[in-house]
C-alpha cells in the first residue's frame, strides 16, 4: 500500500513534479515574495501571512520604483532570450515568451507596466529594441543588434558607400570645372589697366591702339580649346552619330561640349541605374493589403534599409514601425516646390526641387539642389525615380 500511495503516478507525485517545474497558475504567484502557491487556498493563506504583509508595506511606500524595477528585469530577460536563442532572426513573439517563462524564477508580466504581450511587443518596437511587424499569425519581432562589433561593421559599409559617392562627385566636379573654365576663357577678355597720365616734358603724347581680333581667329581658338578638353577625357562612340549625320544632312552637328555631357550622362545612368531604390529618409506609400486596412495606402518614412530590398518604415499617422519589402512600397510625389530625393538613375542619391509634373507621361522636371551640379534642370524624370524627402515639422 505504501508503494502505491507514493508511486510515480499518484496525485502527490504529480503535484510535486508540477511544482518543481514551475508552470503553475499565474494568479497564484506573488512577485513581491517570489512565491508560487499551488492552489487558491494556499495563495489565500500566503496573503494573510506576516511576511507578505511586510512586503506590502514596503511596496506601498514607493510602488513606482518596484514596478519600474520589475519592468526592467522583464525587458532584460526577454531580450536576452531573444538574442541568445534566435539572434537577429525574425520570430513570433509568443515563441520567445514561452522560452522566457520556462525559467522558474522569471519576472511575471502581471507585475510590470505592460498588461499584455502585445503591448510589450509594440513598446519594444517603438523604443527601437526590436523590429516588429504584425501579420495574420500575430506579432513578430526581430532583435536589433547594437553590439560594438556590429556597429563597426555597419559604419564600415556606410563609409565605403560614402567613399564611392565622393569619387563620383569628384569626377563630376572636375568635368564641370573644365566646362566652366572653357566657357569663361572664351568669353572673358583681359581688362585694360588704367594708369594716371603724367606729362613730364613737352613731347607729343601718342597712343598705340591694338587691332581687333578677327572672327575667324576666335572660332579657331574655341575649336582648339574644345579639342584639348576632349583629349583629356574618354571619347564617346561616334560611329552611330556619324551614320546619323550622313543620313540627315540638314541636322546640325552637336558641339564638342554637348558630346561630352551626353557621354557623361549615359555613363552615370548606366552606373547608377539599379533594381533597388530604397533609401533612408524618403517618404513612401504602403501598397500591400496583407497588413490590413490600417496600413494600406498609408504614408511612412524609411528609417532603415536592410539587404537593399527590405526597409523598416515608421507610419506617419500612428508611429508604428513595420518591416516591409520593396515590392510592397511605392514612391510619393510631393507638391511643386518641395524637396525630393532622386532614388534611381544617373543622379541617384541627390536632393532636388520639384518644378513641374507631366501627368500624361508620368514624369517630372526637377532641379538639383546641392553638390557640384547644383542648379542643373533634369526633364523627363520618371515618378518611380524620385520620392518626397521627409522633413519633420
Amino acid at each position: 500500500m505504501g508503494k502505491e500511495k507514493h508511486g510515480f503516478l499518484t496525485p502527490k507525485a504529480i503535484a510535486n513534479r508540477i511544482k518543481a517545474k514551475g508552470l503553475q497558475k499565474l494568479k497564484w504567484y506573488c512577485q513581491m515574495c517570489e512565491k508560487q502557491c499551488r492552489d487558491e487556498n494556499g495563495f489565500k493563506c500566503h496573503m494573510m501571512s506576516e511576511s507578505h504583509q511586510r512586503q506590502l508595506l514596503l511596496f506601498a511606500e514607493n510602488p513606482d520604483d518596484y514596478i519600474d524595477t520589475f519592468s526592467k528585469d522583464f525587458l532584460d530577460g526577454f531580450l536576452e532570450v531573444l538574442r541568445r536563442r534566435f539572434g537577429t532572426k525574425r520570430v513570433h513573439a509568443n515563441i520567445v515568451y514561452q522560452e522566457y517563462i520556462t525559467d522558474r524564477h522569471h519576472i511575471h508580466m502581471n507585475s510590470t507596466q505592460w498588461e499584455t504581450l502585445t503591448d510589450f511587443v509594440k513598446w519594444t518596437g517603438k523604443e527601437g529594441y526590436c523590429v516588429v511587424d504584425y501579420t495574420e499569425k500575430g506579432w513578430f519581432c526581430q532583435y536589433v543588434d547594437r553590439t560594438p562589433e556590429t556597429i563597426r561593421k555597419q559604419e564600415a559599409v556606410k563609409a565605403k558607400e560614402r567613399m564611392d559617392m565622393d569619387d563620383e562627385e569628384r569626377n563630376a566636379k572636375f568635368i564641370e570645372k573644365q566646362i566652366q573654365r572653357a566657357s569663361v576663357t572664351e568669353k572673358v577678355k583681359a581688362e585694360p589697366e588704367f594708369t594716371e597720365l603724367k606729362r613730364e616734358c613737352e613731347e607729343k603724347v601718342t597712343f598705340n591702339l591694338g587691332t581687333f581680333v578677327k572672327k575667324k581667329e576666335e572660332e579657331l581658338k574655341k575649336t582648339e580649346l574644345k579639342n584639348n578638353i576632349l583629349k583629356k577625357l574618354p571619347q564617346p562612340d561616334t560611329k552611330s552619330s556619324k551614320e546619323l549625320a550622313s543620313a540627315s544632312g540638314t541636322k546640325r552637328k552637336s558641339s564638342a561640349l554637348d558630346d561630352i555631357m551626353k557621354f557623361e550622362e549615359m555613363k552615370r545612368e548606366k552606373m547608377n541605374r539599379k533594381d533597388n531604390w530604397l533609401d533612408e529618409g524618403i517618404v513612401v506609400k504602403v501598397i500591400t493589403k496583407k497588413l490590413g486596412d490600417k496600413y494600406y495606402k498609408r504614408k511612412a518614412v524609411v528609417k532603415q534599409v536592410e539587404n537593399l530590398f527590405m526597409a523598416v518604415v515608421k507610419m506617419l499617422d500612428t508611429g508604428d514601425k513595420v518591416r516591409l519589402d520593396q515590392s510592397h512600397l511605392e514612391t510619393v510625389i510631393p507638391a511643386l516646390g518641395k524637396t525630393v530625393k532622386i532614388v534611381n538613375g544617373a543622379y541617384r542619391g541627390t536632393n532636388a526641387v520639384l518644378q513641374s509634373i507631366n501627368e500624361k507621361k508620368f514624369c517630372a522636371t526637377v532641379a538639383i539642389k546641392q553638390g557640384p551640379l547644383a542648379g542643373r534642370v533634369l526633364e523627363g524624370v520618371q515618378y518611380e525615380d524620385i520620392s518626397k524627402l521627409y522633413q519633420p515639422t
Side-chain angles (χ1 to χ4, degrees):
M1 292 297 292
K3 293 183 179 180
E4 294 180 358
K5 182 178 181 180
H6 301 288
F8 182 76
L9 297 177
T10 59
K12 181 68 174 178
I14 295 174
N16 290 334
R17 288 197 298 273
I18 294 175
K19 182 180 180 181
K21 193 174 183 181
L23 297 177
Q24 299 178 10
K25 289 189 177 181
L26 185 62
K27 63 180 180 178
W28 294 335
Y29 182 81
C30 178
Q31 185 65 62
M32 285 296 298
C33 302
E34 297 183 358
K35 179 176 178 60
Q36 175 70 62
C37 299
R38 297 171 58 184
D39 52 21
E40 186 176 1
N41 185 41
F43 186 69
K44 184 178 180 181
C45 294
H46 171 72
M47 295 280 288
M48 298 172 63
S49 64
E50 183 181 355
S51 60
H52 179 74
Q53 295 297 327
R54 287 197 300 266
Q55 293 294 331
L56 288 183
L57 292 176
L58 294 175
F59 179 81
E61 292 178 358
N62 200 346
D64 293 336
D65 286 350
Y66 281 98
I67 294 177
D68 292 342
T69 302
F70 292 149
S71 301
K72 184 179 183 304
D73 293 342
F74 180 84
L75 174 64
D76 294 340
F78 188 91
L79 294 179
E80 185 68 15
V81 173
L82 180 61
R83 183 181 68 85
R84 290 182 175 273
R85 179 68 174 81
F86 303 99
T88 57
K89 295 180 180 179
R90 179 174 174 268
V91 63
H92 200 286
N94 192 46
I95 296 178
V96 184
Y97 180 71
Q98 295 299 325
E99 290 275 348
Y100 171 71
I101 64 176
T102 54
D103 183 10
R104 182 179 180 182
H105 302 289
H106 70 277
I107 301 297
H108 292 67
M109 184 173 289
N110 62 348
S111 60
T112 64
Q113 65 185 21
W114 305 286
E115 296 181 357
T116 61
L117 181 62
T118 300
D119 295 338
F120 172 72
V121 173
K122 289 182 178 179
W123 185 86
T124 56
K126 184 178 180 180
E127 295 296 326
Y129 291 102
C130 303
V131 178
V132 301
D133 62 296
Y134 179 76
T135 64
E136 297 177 354
K137 296 181 179 180
W139 285 94
F140 286 79
C141 58
Q142 182 179 4
Y143 179 72
V144 178
D145 192 358
R146 301 184 184 276
T147 57
E149 183 179 356
T150 305
I151 294 176
R152 284 196 297 269
K153 290 182 179 179
Q154 294 175 354
E155 291 178 351
V157 173
K158 292 182 180 180
K160 187 177 183 301
E161 293 178 354
R162 287 196 299 268
M163 188 179 299
D164 296 340
M165 184 60 67
D166 292 341
D167 293 339
E168 297 174 6
E169 292 181 355
R170 193 181 298 111
N171 293 334
K173 190 174 182 180
F174 172 75
I175 297 173
E176 190 71 19
K177 285 184 177 180
Q178 291 291 88
I179 296 174
Q180 291 178 358
R181 188 181 302 168
S183 59
V184 170
T185 306
E186 294 172 0
K187 294 179 180 180
V188 177
K189 296 180 180 179
E191 297 182 358
E193 182 178 357
F194 297 97
T195 58
E196 184 179 358
L197 180 61
K198 295 181 179 181
R199 188 171 181 179
E200 298 179 354
C201 58
E202 296 295 333
E203 295 179 357
K204 288 185 177 181
V205 179
T206 59
F207 298 94
N208 187 12
L209 301 176
T211 59
F212 292 99
V213 182
K214 296 181 180 180
K215 185 176 182 181
K216 292 184 179 180
E217 293 179 354
E218 292 181 355
E219 294 179 354
L220 182 60
K221 290 182 179 180
K222 292 180 182 179
T223 305
E224 291 177 355
L225 183 59
K226 294 175 182 177
N227 291 335
N228 291 333
I229 297 176
L230 286 174
K231 290 179 181 179
K232 296 180 180 179
L233 299 175
Q235 299 295 326
D237 186 6
T238 58
K239 181 178 180 181
S240 58
S241 61
K242 291 181 180 179
E243 294 177 354
L244 183 61
S246 61
S248 55
T250 58
K251 188 174 181 179
R252 186 180 179 181
K253 294 182 179 180
S254 60
S255 64
L257 293 177
D258 293 337
D259 291 339
I260 295 174
M261 296 177 67
K262 288 180 181 180
F263 174 77
E264 291 298 327
E265 196 80 17
M266 294 171 59
K267 184 179 178 181
R268 279 174 169 270
E269 179 70 21
K270 185 177 180 181
M271 182 173 57
N272 294 331
R273 175 67 61 178
K274 300 178 182 179
D275 294 334
N276 61 298
W277 54 267
L278 290 173
D279 200 351
E280 296 181 1
I282 63 173
V283 179
V284 294
K285 183 185 291 184
V286 180
I287 58 175
T288 180
K289 294 183 178 180
K290 294 182 179 180
L291 301 180
D293 296 336
K294 181 179 179 181
Y295 300 127
Y296 181 60
K297 292 293 184 181
R298 301 289 185 180
K299 294 180 181 179
V301 59
V302 178
K303 288 294 184 181
Q304 184 180 357
V305 179
E306 301 175 354
N307 299 327
L308 300 180
F309 294 94
M310 297 295 295
V312 178
V313 301
K314 181 180 180 181
M315 308 306 298
L316 294 179
D317 51 357
T318 62
D320 298 340
K321 287 188 178 180
V322 186
R323 184 169 177 267
L324 294 171
D325 188 79
Q326 175 180 281
S327 59
H328 297 160
L329 302 170
E330 69 177 6
T331 58
V332 174
I333 305 301
L336 298 180
K338 297 294 184 179
T339 304
V340 298
K341 192 164 190 177
I342 303 176
V343 296
N344 211 347
Y347 300 91
R348 180 188 185 105
T350 306
N351 295 342
V353 178
L354 183 63
Q355 292 187 342
S356 63
I357 296 176
N358 190 338
E359 297 181 356
K360 293 183 179 180
K361 296 184 179 180
F362 302 99
C363 61
T365 300
V366 299
I368 297 178
K369 189 176 180 180
Q370 61 185 10
L373 303 179
R376 176 173 293 184
V377 178
L378 308 178
E379 298 179 354
V381 181
Q382 299 298 319
Y383 283 171
E384 57 268 20
D385 290 346
I386 59 174
S387 189
K388 179 181 178 181
L389 188 64
Y390 178 69
Q391 296 178 345
T393 57

